[in-house]
Amino acid sequence: MLRFILILAILMVSTMTSMLFGQNLEQPEKISIAGKITSDKDESISNTIVYLVDSTQKLVKTEYSDENGRFVFQNVAKGMYQVQIVENGKTRYESLPFEAIQNIELPPIVLKADVQNLEEVVITKTKPYIERQDGKMILNVESSITAAGSSAFEVLEKAPGINVDNSDNISLRGKGGVLVQIDGKAVQMTGNDLANYLRGIPSGAIEKIEFITNPSSKYDAAGSSIINIRMKKDKRKGTNGSITTAYGQGKYPKSNNSLSLNHRNKDINIFGNYNFAYRESFTELILDRRFYNDGNFTGAYEQDNFLRTNFRNHIGKIGADYFASKKHTFGIVANMVSNRYNPTGKNASDVFDETNSPTSRFFTNNNSRNNLKNYSVNLNHKYAIDTLGTEWTTDFDYANYGNKTRQNFITRYFDLNNVENQNPYLLNGNINGDLDIYSLKTDFVKTLQNDVKIETGLKTSYVKADNNLEFYDVSSGIPVFDPTKSNHFIYKENINAAYINASKQFGKWSAYLGFRVENTNITGEQLVDNTSFTNNYTQLFPSAFLSYAINDNNSLEFNYSRRISRPSYDQLNPFKFFLDPTTYKEGNPYLKPQTTHSFELTHILNQNIFTTLNFSRTTDNITGVIAPSENNQQLTVQTDKNLNTADIYGLFIIVPVKVAKWWDIASSFNSYYGSYSGTVAGTTLKNRGNFTFNCNSVNNFKIGNGYSAEVTGNYRAREIYAFMDVDPIWYVNLGVQKKFKNSSLKLAVNDVFYTNRTTADTEFTNYKEHFKVSRETRVAVLSYTYNFGNSNANDRRKTGGAEDIKQRAGSNNG
């Protein structure tokens, strides 16, 4: 299958080369024409259509102004032109004829802010569900009907190229170590805790999700790729906002609610939002675990684990921007997250001996109380030095995360006649975690006279995590401290970084080159056994981008980046979380960071069809494993280990099709070959993997009279991921929507046939496991959104300087 990928790559490259050299190499040099639209009150006007016409008044191109009022006509031939804005058949603005012989910046276009005209010039574009911009794949969640009433996690796990394993670890196009952000600021959790956090965010509060597979050097080097969830932001003037409420019913009820408010005038912009989610859900995990010694069967467990969880998630944000002058903007943003959930689990286990005969059984009840809190504040300043884009920005971030978890386990043991044959085992655990993050960064952008854009910046961050885990055996009625399960872990980290990027557009070519250097200093202390470790290293992270416009319909992009995925704080913390007496989760303080070299070649057809060939090699690949304990082969441990390498060869295609005026299809096809090498639990892999693929198709139907419908289908083929062999998965979602003047009503049914369940096998030298995971994926949701307010306004600039380190805060850090 690797041969198939290589042959496909050669065919694509040769085809693109033929197209490239089949063009007339003497074509006239193309230029760009840019400008900005403002009101006579010096406010930017976005989403306005702008026409470029030639000397014969023939239409050449159209563009929309962005949130800053800017528009750019790319790849235009030299000549005489005019810029026009036409509204309802009447010319609202028309420039004088001008000659464009090189890249040109037009004088600002000022539209009169009168009541009759200014608001009418705003035009809303209908966004496709999937699109690509500036090297990013974008999922416009607002455009999806079936996403209504669900959570951010449920939207994400159904996205093209995304896989989520049974431990809720997220991978993108076969690559793990993904960095998840909210509005450019990293989410402070990983694994199950990240999933639980995202399950508390209503999809109605999300505008879009950006998938950045090869971030530039301006981004923090953390993460093999970046998934950035953009929340909705009101862009209208005055006081305005939106309200969304949704109710869902599967096996258990769910409710998502959000309120967004914004007030803006000439000098200040005040904004805030609040989201509340109540969600009850379940996870059922069925395990068949078999143990061996030198190939000889020694025993087995058959286990059924049912976990019910109720989430009560509060997420709030409030902030303000003060426009002190045309050049200086000051801002402050404060965030609050409170997530309470009380999982109750029941485990039933049958024990088998070396003859595969049942010998006994035990039952474990788990009642836990989890209280995760996060408070953060960002202070920012923007200095716009000139009108050519020269600016200097500064951000300071502080965040605190707290976690209090109470775990109570009761295990009862029975013989085959269901007679209790020994005293119950009672285990209580208390986890108290505290994490402080400080970050300061500054960035400078300058456009030189030769159209070279320079970006440079500095950043420093400091992290301290203090996690205290105490377990007590209360079987006798008196709590007895258990030092074998307890731990007090203190982790400190300082990262200092600097970067410089240079970019230039010349003719049909656009080029970018960047370098980032990061110095990392780490110390860790385990107070229970009085041990410690340190790790200090400095690494360089280059990135490059090159694009070529073959003609008006075809272009090529190539990009490269080197990234690092540092272990999250809970992955390093050697605490234990018990599922039952035979199974627990444990951190690995000796886990090393993984580094990834990633290459992509993308062909773009008509700015509509995107085909990407990619290759990545990850060294010291961090892999989640479920394997026998090194101290007791009858115990199973879920932890993270470093594999030597993980190679991914991939092909990713996005194809939108307009079947009819009333029927649009947005489809994606993601295929890759994963190859994994390394040794874990006495088991060695050498280039183990397979060719796999997943297909995603979103069908939108415009019924008329404000009604529309959506049918989404997804199929994931069998995948071999390191030690795990995962069976195929498919599911179908349905939805219908009715739009009113200022509101919308949506009804969706997800996983109609209840087929979205994971079945897989894991195998090590002395251990085999077959498992099946079922979650509450079949849910009917009714959602209502009401928008209020007026007119159009600016969007605020994104802020934050702690994006990389916040992602890695784990379950003990809120």
Side-chain angles (χ1 to χ4, degrees), residues 2-40:
L2 176 58
R3 182 180 300 174
F4 168 78
I5 291 291
L6 294 176
I7 292 174
L8 189 61
I10 294 171
L11 288 174
M12 182 178 176
V13 173
S14 62
T15 302
M16 295 302 103
T17 303
S18 299
M19 295 173 62
L20 173 61
F21 289 99
Q23 308 301 315
N24 181 359
L25 299 180
E26 300 301 324
Q27 291 184 28
E29 179 184 357
K30 297 296 182 70
I31 61 172
S32 64
I33 300 173
K36 181 177 181 179
I37 307 174
T38 66
S39 72
D40 56 1

Side-chain angles (χ1 to χ4, degrees), residues 50 101 107 119 133 191 276 322 418 459 522 526 547 564 577 593 602 635 640 742:
V50 186
I101 58 175
E119 293 185 1
Q133 295 178 3
F276 170 72
Y322 172 57
N418 289 325
K459 178 180 175 181
I522 296 171
Q526 299 183 56
S547 69
I564 186 171
F577 177 87
T602 300
L635 293 180
D640 292 278
N742 294 313

Side-chain angles (χ1 to χ4, degrees), residues 51-98:
Y51 300 92
L52 182 68
V53 299
D54 62 16
S55 57
T56 65
Q57 293 297 296
K58 179 182 177 181
L59 179 64
V60 178
K61 280 194 173 186
T62 60
E63 287 291 345
Y64 284 83
S65 58
D66 64 15
E67 65 270 14
N68 297 313
R70 290 192 58 79
F71 61 89
V72 181
F73 297 103
Q74 300 278 10
N75 300 315
V76 177
K78 297 178 180 179
M80 296 294 298
Y81 296 103
Q82 282 182 283
V83 169
Q84 298 176 351
I85 297 176
V86 179
E87 169 200 348
N88 296 328
K90 298 181 180 180
T91 301
R92 177 148 177 87
Y93 171 84
E94 184 175 35
S95 72
L96 295 173
F98 59 89

Side-chain angles (χ1 to χ4, degrees), residues 322-356:
Y322 172 57
F323 309 104
S325 66
K326 292 183 178 180
K327 291 188 175 183
H328 291 278
T329 302
F330 298 89
I332 181 171
V333 184
N335 294 273
M336 180 277 293
V337 176
S338 174
N339 189 6
R340 294 175 179 266
Y341 57 98
N342 304 323
T344 57
K346 294 182 178 181
N347 168 277
S349 301
D350 289 325
V351 184
F352 296 79
D353 62 16
E354 66 276 5
T355 66
N356 203 28

Side-chain angles (χ1 to χ4, degrees), residues 98 128 197 202 217 238 282 325 387 425 437 464 517 592 729 783:
F98 59 89
Y197 174 81
S217 299
F282 73 86
S325 66
T387 59
Y425 174 56
I437 297 176
K464 181 181 179 181
V517 61
K592 295 184 291 185
I729 300 173
S783 172

